[in-house]
Amino acid sequence: MSFIPKDTNDKRLAGKTFVYTVKIQAIKQKNLPELNDEFAKELGEFTSLEQVRQQIRNNMEAERKHTAEREAKDKLVAELVKRNEFEVPESLNRAPDRSAAGNAVIRALAAQGMKMEDLKKMDLPRLRAGQHDQAVQDVKSSLLLERIAELEKIETGEDEVNHEIEALAQQAKQTPDAIRARLTQDGGLDRIRNRIRSEKTLDFLYRQSA
């Protein structure tokens, strides 16, 4: 039984009482499997439950180390930029670039479901300024890593590029040749080479600081 309040928007239903009849078709119960060696074998290349538990522990430890390493590298880059202050190219300081950086964030927030009235309440000039500051830091770190790569003769091998292309091909369910052709056309291959080189340079600095 359900009573509709008198102040409901639909005046045809206001103040009325309705009786519903429900027919239960089925009652289901979820039965969890017993945690034993037989269950472990069903998961794949495991022969015992202890192997499954050990794999989970290994994965958690690897994730913890990866997170700690990523944080350490971020701090390393920040310190590198701090100790090597210099002016970035003038083109990055132009107003259109600052506006584009802020607008990109606004579009991203809107895409995530933020309402227009909430966007209007935000300190947009400060938001744009913050994005511009981050862009400047990113350019500085990129230039510094590039210079260190030159000094240390760190290069990107074609096998590393091919490995990246094969991974992209699997994700996109396309052939490596198709991915390579598209990347060659839009300059993506150079971006991949530069990214791999930067990552290798950062790994080099991380090992040196360890």
Side-chain angles (χ1 to χ4, degrees), residues 45 53 56 88 91 96 106 114 139 186:
E45 300 177 358
R53 289 172 172 162
I56 293 174
V88 298
S91 60
I106 293 172
M114 181 172 285
V139 170
D186 64 10

Side-chain angles (χ1 to χ4, degrees), residues 162 165-166 169 174-181:
N162 291 335
I165 290 175
E166 290 174 2
Q174 298 180 15
T175 65
D177 289 341
I179 295 295
R180 179 179 289 274

Side-chain angles (χ1 to χ4, degrees), residues 32-204:
L32 298 177
E34 185 177 352
L35 298 181
N36 51 29
D37 291 347
E38 291 302 318
F39 170 73
K41 294 176 183 178
E42 294 178 359
L43 297 179
E45 300 177 358
F46 299 102
T47 58
S48 68
L49 184 61
E50 181 55 32
Q51 284 188 348
V52 176
R53 289 172 172 162
Q54 185 60 48
Q55 184 62 52
I56 293 174
R57 287 193 290 267
N58 292 343
N59 291 344
M60 292 176 65
E61 179 64 17
E63 180 64 24
R64 186 190 66 78
K65 289 183 178 179
H66 176 75
T67 299
E69 181 177 325
R70 184 69 262 172
E71 291 176 352
K73 287 180 178 179
D74 288 342
K75 292 179 180 179
L76 192 155
V77 171
E79 186 64 23
L80 185 66
V81 171
K82 182 180 178 180
R83 294 186 180 186
N84 296 273
E85 284 294 339
F86 59 93
E87 293 295 326
V88 298
E90 182 63 26
S91 60
L92 192 61
N93 290 319
R94 293 179 304 182
D97 295 316
R98 294 196 298 269
S99 178
N103 290 339
V105 176
I106 293 172
R107 287 194 298 272
L109 292 173
Q112 294 174 11
M114 181 172 285
K115 298 179 181 179
M116 184 56 65
E117 53 267 28
D118 294 329
L119 286 172
K120 291 179 179 179
K121 296 176 184 178
M122 297 181 65
D123 189 345
L124 298 185
R126 183 176 180 181
L127 177 64
R128 291 189 177 98
Q131 286 298 306
H132 176 258
D133 292 343
Q134 183 59 53
V136 170
Q137 293 298 100
D138 291 344
V139 170
K140 286 183 177 181
S141 62
S142 178
L143 293 174
L144 286 169
L145 289 175
E146 182 179 346
R147 180 56 179 158
I148 293 171
E150 292 175 356
L151 294 173
E152 298 296 337
K153 296 181 173 54
I154 299 174
E155 299 293 342
T156 302
E158 280 304 309
D159 56 335
E160 295 171 313
V161 176
N162 291 335
H163 179 75
E164 185 75 13
I165 290 175
E166 290 174 2
L168 292 172
Q170 290 182 353
Q171 293 176 6
K173 296 183 179 180
Q174 298 180 15
T175 65
D177 289 341
I179 295 295
R180 179 179 289 274
R182 177 172 60 80
L183 292 173
T184 301
Q185 185 177 9
D186 64 10
L189 279 181
D190 288 337
R191 291 193 296 272
I192 288 177
R193 289 191 181 95
N194 291 336
R195 178 174 57 78
I196 293 175
R197 192 186 191 196
S198 292
E199 290 175 352
K200 291 175 66 175
T201 305
L202 188 53
D203 285 339
F204 167 78

